[in-house]
Amino acid sequence: MPLCCWEDHLIAVDSGTIWNGSDCTVSTHDHRHMQKRPIRQIRRLREHTVSLKVVILVASILASLGVAMAAPLTLTLIHVNDWDRMDGVDNAGGAARIATVAAEERTRAEAKGGLAIVTFGGDMISPSLLSGIDQGAHMINLADSIGFDVAVLGNHEFDFGPDVLRERLAESKTTWLAGNVSVAGRPGFPGAAATTMVEKDGYQIGFLGLVTPETSVISKAGPDVSFESVTETGARLADALKAAGADVVIALTHLELSTDLELLRTVEAIDVVLGGHDHLLIARHDGRQAVMKAGSQGRHVGVLNLSMDRVVKQDGALETVWKPEFRLRSTAGLEGDALISAMVRDYQAHLDKTLNVVIGESATELDTRRLSVRSGETAFGNLLADAIRAATESQIALYNGGGIRGDTVYPPGTKISRKIVLAELPFGNKTVMLRLTGAQVKQMLETGVSQTEQGGGRFPHVSGLAFSFDVRKPVGERVTSVSVGGAALKDDRSYTVATNDFLALGGDGYTVFGDSEILIDSRSGGLVASHLINYIVAVGTVSPRVEGRIRREDWAAGIARLDIFY
């Protein structure tokens, strides 16, 4: 088992690892031990002695021919993933603290003659408050100032569409990778490579990049961008790197851990996975391959030291061997880099001046925590759904919990500003209205609750209707009752439904919308954030509550709420 935790909870430590304190240090050990050998093994020892002579002879021949064996090298990989907040969370993470750790580890490695490479596992330019305004340009600037060397695209890199991503990549000094992405059937994405190679003291370190194929569903990659098989692409790229002379192959991935592990099982040519996407804090080595992820938002920075050496095998061939040591460094309470801190303050001041305008007040608590908005009814979800239903005068409204991003609890009496609204709704989505049959409305809700136990972002927040569901039932059969305006849903009746343009295009698995009639499209619909702001301004003091629009029968039956981790 790996050392694995969700930022602040240690999940498991296997017997072959060492873990220390808030900074996790994991060292793998060779468990082979000396044994007394019986007389029948003397022949084997003689054979080994002969093999040793062969090795010495080969080494002498190489030396006489001027072929030098490379001295040992320590490669230090400094890894961050899923970082989109410039100022950190709860006195941890953020650009300045990441910069401090990266500089310390780079200095330490280079002082010992080693090589340090700062890597990123995807999801940088979105979502965040300022990214909703500058489409991630400030994050690229901060990343360049920190000094990221190699990065893989994440699904959130596509949140503003492929054209904006091309602009961001053109601005970046980092080498970006995306080996399984194609545009209009042609492999590659402009500004990103499939692989890259770094050389140090005779050693070749190969990198490849793989992006979750779910990006086409959960982001805005567009119809021309496609994502190929992770394992097939990974095998092809890893073999190509080995053929080009790579001593070690490192896959930068933005995938679920289960997919990363399947990739390692399937592709022996990959030595190390440095990942992201599921916000896990994990370090694992099975004796042959390694995987590391560093949580999210820079609250931890993963450091992987690979001690590399070349040995001569019994047949005389040279082989590169390596041994890993992991450190998962907490950034809590760490003093941030002064230059980066100043940059963040300047960005924040600009943001505050622009957005820190009070538009209303909430008389009730508003909960936008990730677990809350992806598992059940919330007051904020009701407020948001009410706002877009009012803006379109539709019968029903639905909004996905994954589009609510503040991850905050606002107490009663909170003054609501434009800044708060945009922090919660950073994607720049537009409100659209569709016409659906009752049967399609039920299918829409089935989609919404199909990934509830996994914390899927498709979980629905609704207005104008109420429904019950049970996660103990099979996917597609979970919705047990639906009413619209107090009356039972009728399959053959038509209903007007307000939602956002992302879902209307089939995002988050809402393919049912593809067969609906479009009444208000994204060109005509206004920004969701603007509709929410206008709704709050009109009411003045809002008081949304959890009122039974969504009833979970598994919870009503007394079953404990599911443990969902991200």
Side-chain angles (χ1 to χ4, degrees):
M1 288 187 296
L3 173 69
C4 176
C5 49
W6 279 263
E7 297 288 359
D8 54 353
H9 293 90
L10 181 67
I11 302 303
V13 182
D14 71 0
S15 59
T17 64
I18 299 172
W19 174 63
N20 294 318
S22 60
D23 284 356
C24 306
T25 301
V26 185
S27 301
T28 62
H29 295 275
D30 189 344
H31 296 290
R32 293 175 297 178
H33 51 78
M34 298 298 294
Q35 297 178 341
K36 293 183 179 180
R37 297 176 173 86
I39 293 176
R40 64 177 177 270
Q41 290 184 333
I42 291 177
R43 179 175 297 175
R44 296 179 185 173
L45 289 174
R46 288 173 178 168
E47 292 172 353
H48 289 319
T49 301
V50 173
S51 297
L52 179 60
K53 291 178 180 179
V54 171
V55 170
I56 294 173
L57 177 61
V58 170
S60 299
I61 293 173
L62 289 173
S64 68
L65 294 175
V67 180
M69 290 178 63
L73 173 70
T74 297
L75 169 63
T76 298
L77 298 164
I78 306 159
H79 186 64
V80 177
N81 53 272
D82 298 276
W83 162 63
D84 53 55
R85 294 191 177 188
M86 61 181 178
D87 52 351
V89 181
D90 298 329
N91 200 34
R97 295 185 185 92
I98 293 171
T100 293
V101 175
E104 288 177 356
E105 295 296 337
R106 193 188 294 273
T107 299
R108 180 183 293 115
E110 293 177 352
K112 297 179 180 179
L115 172 64
I117 299 176
V118 184
T119 61
F120 187 74
D123 281 2
M124 177 188 294
I125 72 170
S126 172
S128 72
L129 181 56
L130 187 52
S131 287
I133 297 172
D134 72 0
Q135 299 179 316
H138 72 290
M139 293 300 295
I140 295 295
N141 192 19
L142 289 169
D144 285 344
S145 298
I146 291 169
F148 284 99
D149 297 303
V150 189
V152 66
L153 296 179
N155 53 284
H156 282 301
E157 265 63 72
F158 291 88
D159 281 351
F160 303 111
D163 292 339
V164 170
L165 178 55
R166 289 187 184 95
E167 294 177 12
R168 296 292 86 83
L169 296 181
E171 296 162 358
S172 177
K173 298 177 183 177
T174 302
T175 297
W176 287 86
L177 303 178
N180 64 322
V181 180
S182 297
V183 179
R186 300 179 63 180
F189 188 88
T195 64
T196 191
M197 194 93 81
V198 178
E199 189 276 335
K200 170 70 173 177
D201 294 344
Y203 290 92
Q204 299 283 345
I205 298 97
F207 289 89
L208 61 90
L210 298 169
V211 189
T212 174
E214 289 187 347
T215 300
S216 59
V217 176
I218 61 178
S219 190
K220 298 180 180 178
D224 292 334
V225 179
S226 59
F227 299 83
E228 315 307 328
S229 164
V230 167
T231 52
E232 292 178 9
T233 305
R236 175 173 53 81
L237 297 179
D239 288 344
L241 285 169
K242 287 288 189 180
D247 294 289
V248 62
V249 172
I250 299 165
L252 283 177
T253 71
H254 195 75
L255 304 166
E256 298 286 348
L257 177 61
S258 58
T259 309
D260 283 321
L261 297 180
E262 178 63 24
L263 178 68
L264 288 174
R265 283 192 293 268
T266 305
V267 186
E268 293 186 2
I270 295 177
D271 298 294
V272 177
V273 163
L274 299 177
H277 188 46
D278 42 17
H279 296 199
L280 289 177
L281 184 64
I282 179 171
R284 167 178 174 154
H285 179 233
D286 64 3
R288 186 175 65 87
Q289 295 169 303
V291 60
M292 182 174 71
K293 302 190 181 198
S296 65
Q297 305 304 344
R299 286 177 287 190
H300 289 81
V301 176
V303 182
L304 172 55
N305 289 322
L306 292 184
S307 299
M308 302 172 62
D309 199 1
R310 287 218 179 97
V311 298
V312 182
K313 297 193 295 184
Q314 292 183 10
D315 61 2
L318 287 176
E319 179 183 29
T320 300
V321 295
W322 53 270
K323 179 180 177 181
E325 180 186 22
F326 303 90
R327 280 178 294 131
L328 301 174
R329 290 193 54 180
S330 170
T331 59
L334 192 67
E335 183 177 353
D337 177 87
L339 176 61
I340 306 297
S341 294
M343 293 175 64
V344 171
R345 285 195 300 271
D346 287 344
Y347 282 127
Q348 196 65 52
H350 169 69
L351 195 59
D352 291 343
K353 183 179 179 180
T354 305
L355 299 175
N356 205 16
V357 177
V358 174
I359 58 172
E361 180 178 344
S362 178
T364 54
E365 179 181 275
L366 301 177
D367 183 357
T368 67
R369 288 173 297 180
R370 183 180 175 107
L371 177 58
S372 299
V373 299
R374 294 176 180 229
S375 60
E377 180 183 353
T378 67
F380 185 86
N382 288 347
L383 175 65
L384 177 57
D386 287 348
I388 63 171
R389 185 163 74 98
T392 57
E393 299 182 350
S394 61
Q395 294 168 282
I396 298 170
L398 179 144
Y399 207 92
N400 57 314
I404 301 171
R405 307 300 297 197
D407 202 16
T408 301
V409 176
Y410 303 96
T414 294
K415 304 294 184 183
I416 303 174
S417 64
R418 289 189 177 95
K419 180 178 179 181
I420 287 177
V421 171
L422 289 177
E424 295 295 342
L425 306 172
F427 295 130
N429 289 119
K430 293 185 176 182
T431 303
V432 300
M433 187 167 70
L434 312 170
R435 190 188 307 279
L436 275 68
T437 65
Q440 289 174 317
V441 169
K442 187 173 185 294
Q443 184 182 346
M444 169 187 81
L445 296 174
E446 289 284 6
T447 297
V449 300
S450 63
Q451 294 183 348
T452 302
E453 60 269 53
Q454 291 87 31
R458 61 184 58 178
F459 188 86
H461 296 271
V462 297
S463 177
L465 66 75
F467 73 99
S468 300
F469 75 100
D470 191 338
V471 298
R472 295 170 295 180
K473 294 181 177 295
V475 170
E477 302 175 13
R478 293 181 167 182
V479 176
T480 56
S481 67
V482 186
S483 62
V484 178
L489 180 77
K490 296 187 179 298
D491 286 351
D492 57 354
R493 181 179 171 182
S494 66
Y495 299 87
T496 54
V497 180
T499 187
N500 62 64
D501 56 341
F502 171 60
L503 299 186
L505 291 172
D508 258 341
Y510 281 89
T511 55
V512 62
F513 291 143
D515 296 325
S516 64
E517 179 186 357
I518 300 172
L519 303 176
I520 300 175
D521 63 16
S522 60
R523 292 172 296 179
S524 304
L527 289 171
V528 173
S530 296
H531 288 148
L532 180 56
I533 289 171
N534 294 340
Y535 186 84
I536 295 171
V537 169
V539 176
T541 298
V542 296
S543 53
R545 302 176 186 276
V546 174
E547 55 192 47
R549 298 181 187 184
I550 303 173
R551 182 176 182 271
R552 287 191 59 162
E553 295 182 356
D554 50 310
W555 287 354
I559 297 175
R561 296 193 178 199
L562 300 174
D563 292 324
I564 304 173
F565 299 97
Y566 309 102

